[in-house]
Amino acid sequence: MLLGLAVVYFLAGKLGLSLAFVNRSVTSVWPPSGISLAAILLLGYRVWPGIFLGAFAVNITTAGSVATCLGIATGNTLEAVLGAWLVSRFASGLDAFRKPRDIFKFAALAGGLSTAVCAAIGVISLAATGYADWTAFGQTWLTWWLGDGIGIILVAPALILWASDRRVQWKPPKAVEGVLLLSLLLLVSSVVFGRWSQGRNYPLEFLCTPVLLWAAFRFGPRDTALMILILSGVAIRGTLAGLGPFVRSSPNTSLLLLQLYTGTVALVALSVAAIVAERRRAELHLRETERRLSRYNADLEHFAYAASHDLQEPLRNITLFTQLMVEQHGKQLGREADTFMNHIVGGVERMNAIIEGLLRYTRLSGSDVTCFEPVSMNDVLSRAQKNLGAAIADSKAQVFYDGLPIVTGDREQLVRLLQNLIGNAIKYRSQAAPLISVAARRNDQDWIFSVSDNGIGIDPKYGERVFGLFERLHGSHTSGVGIGLAISKQIVELHRGRIWVESQPGIGSTFKFTIPAGTEQSFVV
Ligand code: ADP
């Protein structure tokens, strides 16, 4: 493996050095830096000898003494090791191309920092052994640094992303799209950097951006990285042949300008690809969570329904047999038996109320009410009052109301809603006879209904809690199981509204809920 890496490094290095202009050992196109960084990230730090060997071989067969080449090879190896360490430590390692933030960190740390160190060691090695001029240090270092840095930005992502996922499982339409994309890239890159541009050299490089963005949006980071490599290959070839927008009088300047261009476009395209891929992953995750949640919900509803249903039967038996026992054996059991039986029957009745409430609650949460109809809230209020007839009469409650509107909703549920709220206003009354007023006003999108009472009120800090299942604030002296407001909340939410309470203890409470004002004739009757 080490030898294989050394050979690949050597060949890529020879290719890069064939484009060396400022010094035989210094080039602005240096793919080995990307290869060596990817090798360490993918295979581990132990492959450094392969890099060292490859770097030494490529230089000793080009120019320089053994000492020069040992110096350069040390710099190249250090670049890969330092780059890999920085990327692993600060830019999520092999996952660096999943988030734009990590991509930029990768470019700055591996492409900018570790290469600066390597370029310095390399140029010092050359100059110290007489193979470069100290006076040209700046320009040589810059060419080396940019060549290595852009080599990393262009080559490493493609290698890492393809090594991490080699599957190509495209359905036919996707494959056709892939072929189209590749053809367009080749066409555009040859228009910009090919023979067509001869003598014109128009600044048409921007034409490449939409093609890379197509890859980023539709194919993801891995394929985008490959497209960038292909574009870079075509562009370097053209620029060297004196074609395209980056051609200047010196080939080194032309190549440097081109490399800067491809490096920048690569960063943008890879970042877009990462954002799109991240969004796609998030969408998938959301869909999966949604599916799991609705399955759990359905299971839970089924469970609650079945359990509540099955509990009713034993409860009926308890009542029945307790009554039978008192009837048939009351005398032997003594006087206390009656009291005990009353406790048992009372408990069973309460249990029944809870179960019925639960059944209603689960039935509601399972329902997806789609057949809403225009409902007159005046009628709804009349029916709720009728259902509460006995409680209203016993408590001498008075219910006032303004003309209420017509809304779109489920009539039965809306009756239950008002019945719950008015029923509570009566149940939680103060010493005075209940005065209850029901009103509605409209804002831009909603009808806001209010049911106010002059009852005992609710401490504002419990304003949210009372809508929870089995939550009771004033339990001991009043009947009830703490389900009414939970059901009311469910009904309002099924109508895409919200419910809340405004209250002052000792003064009274106002329960408010909204119902979207639709296109129904929302006149006040
Ligand atoms: P229940 O009436 O069966 O206890 P609800 O869910 O209808 O259950 O109400 C929950 C709790 O909210 C009640 O126990 C009571 O403490 C409080 N509550 C509800 N309505 C009013 C009201 N109009 N005035 C004062 N307290 C109220």
Side-chain angles (χ1 to χ4, degrees):
M1 187 173 65
L2 290 183
L3 204 63
L5 176 58
V7 171
V8 173
Y9 193 102
F10 178 82
L11 293 175
K14 278 288 171 202
L15 183 74
L17 286 180
S18 67
L19 312 175
F21 299 105
V22 285
N23 180 302
R24 286 180 64 199
S25 305
V26 185
T27 170
S28 54
V29 180
W30 189 243
S33 56
I35 295 173
S36 53
L37 177 71
I40 292 204
L41 282 171
L42 288 164
L43 306 169
Y45 291 107
R46 67 204 155 89
V47 298
W48 72 264
I51 298 168
F52 188 85
L53 196 65
F56 181 76
V58 79
N59 281 292
I60 200 76
T61 53
T62 306
S65 66
V66 173
T68 324
C69 297
L70 282 177
I72 295 176
T74 307
N76 284 343
T77 312
L78 192 67
E79 172 184 280
V81 171
L82 179 64
W85 182 80
L86 288 169
V87 170
S88 304
R89 179 82 179 70
F90 300 106
S92 309
L94 291 172
D95 288 332
F97 310 106
R98 289 166 79 93
K99 293 198 176 109
R101 199 186 47 195
D102 285 337
I103 293 176
F104 281 95
K105 279 194 205 162
F106 169 89
L109 296 174
L113 190 61
S114 68
T115 46
V117 176
C118 165
I121 297 177
V123 183
I124 290 170
S125 305
L126 281 174
T129 50
Y131 288 90
D133 202 344
W134 283 110
T135 53
F137 187 94
Q139 205 213 340
T140 319
W141 179 85
L142 187 70
T143 305
W144 192 310
W145 178 59
L146 284 175
D148 277 25
I150 289 161
I152 282 179
I153 292 171
L154 296 183
V155 177
L159 288 179
I160 291 171
L161 290 167
W162 277 91
S164 310
D165 179 12
R166 264 164 267 172
R167 288 165 307 151
V168 180
Q169 291 167 330
W170 291 343
K171 298 209 173 81
K174 194 77 183 172
V176 171
E177 191 182 338
V179 172
L180 279 178
L181 172 64
L182 184 62
S183 317
L184 186 69
L185 180 80
L186 292 174
L187 179 74
V188 169
S189 52
S190 11
V191 166
V192 182
F193 298 101
R195 227 158 263 304
W196 181 85
S197 67
Q198 191 145 34
R200 303 184 182 97
N201 291 359
Y202 292 142
L204 288 178
E205 64 278 14
F206 60 84
L207 286 179
C208 305
T209 315
V211 188
L212 290 180
L213 288 184
W214 179 4
F217 272 102
R218 301 276 306 157
F219 288 84
R222 186 190 66 168
D223 303 324
T224 308
L226 182 64
M227 292 293 156
I228 293 166
L229 264 191
I230 295 172
L231 169 68
S232 169
V234 176
I236 290 175
R237 212 169 130 226
T239 306
L240 285 172
L243 303 168
F246 297 103
V247 175
R248 296 292 179 278
S249 51
S250 123
N252 194 54
T253 312
S254 314
L255 274 185
L256 276 181
L257 286 175
L258 169 69
Q259 289 290 78
L260 275 175
Y261 161 75
T262 0
T264 317
V265 176
L267 274 183
V268 173
L270 284 174
S271 302
V272 174
I275 293 171
V276 175
E278 204 179 8
R279 214 190 80 181
R280 214 167 281 154
R281 275 196 303 275
E283 271 171 11
L284 271 179
H285 183 72
L286 199 71
R287 233 173 289 147
E288 173 59 23
T289 315
E290 238 172 37
R291 235 192 27 236
R292 231 179 311 148
L293 211 66
S294 61
R295 212 179 49 231
Y296 287 153
N297 251 346
D299 286 354
L300 209 67
E301 272 158 25
H302 180 75
F303 168 77
Y305 187 81
S308 324
H309 210 261
D310 292 352
L311 278 173
Q312 283 180 322
E313 174 69 18
L315 281 181
R316 268 194 295 273
N317 285 339
I318 294 175
T319 316
L320 185 72
F321 286 107
T322 314
Q323 282 165 344
L324 273 179
M325 195 165 68
V326 173
E327 269 170 35
Q328 295 181 10
H329 305 285
K331 288 204 181 81
Q332 290 107 294
L333 289 174
R335 265 185 292 128
E336 280 183 321
D338 255 357
T339 324
F340 292 159
M341 192 204 79
N342 283 340
H343 281 310
I344 294 175
V345 173
V348 167
E349 271 167 8
R350 195 172 151 68
M351 188 87 156
N352 252 326
I354 294 178
I355 289 171
E356 258 164 38
L358 267 181
L359 275 173
R360 209 172 294 135
Y361 186 82
T362 47
R363 233 176 272 142
L364 263 181
S365 46
S367 72
D368 44 353
V369 208
T370 46
C371 52
F372 279 5
E373 54 178 343
V375 179
S376 152
M377 288 302 278
N378 282 327
D379 293 351
V380 166
L381 178 62
S382 304
R383 280 192 46 199
Q385 276 180 281
K386 208 163 132 210
N387 294 349
L388 289 166
I392 292 179
D394 289 351
S395 62
K396 302 194 174 50
Q398 280 181 280
V399 181
F400 307 94
Y401 64 99
D402 291 345
L404 299 179
I406 290 179
V407 299
T408 301
D410 181 303
R411 187 181 305 273
E412 295 308 315
Q413 288 184 13
L414 292 173
V415 170
R416 172 148 302 280
L417 172 63
L418 283 193
Q419 193 176 318
N420 283 351
L421 297 180
I422 298 171
N424 278 350
I426 296 172
K427 244 192 326 187
Y428 302 104
R429 63 178 176 269
S430 56
Q431 305 294 341
L435 299 175
I436 302 162
S437 94
V438 183
R441 69 180 167 81
R442 181 159 176 179
N443 70 11
D444 281 353
Q445 299 120 24
D446 300 311
W447 281 107
I448 304 171
F449 289 88
S450 59
V451 178
S452 319
D453 63 47
N454 58 341
I456 53 181
I458 294 173
D459 189 333
K461 71 174 180 251
Y462 300 121
E464 280 279 319
R465 232 176 79 182
V466 288
F467 295 99
L469 207 53
F470 301 127
E471 293 287 359
R472 307 198 70 207
L473 301 182
H474 322 95
S476 44
H477 307 300
T478 37
S479 64
V481 290
I483 294 182
L485 285 182
I487 288 183
S488 306
K489 183 168 187 226
Q490 233 179 2
I491 293 174
V492 172
E493 284 173 357
L494 278 170
H495 286 77
R496 293 186 301 282
R498 49 189 201 91
I499 185 168
W500 68 100
V501 62
E502 293 164 6
S503 181
Q504 259 185 291
I507 308 269
S509 315
T510 301
F511 282 82
K512 292 188 176 173
F513 64 90
T514 62
I515 302 275
T519 48
E520 81 283 349
Q521 313 151 274
S522 42
F523 55 83
V524 175
V525 190

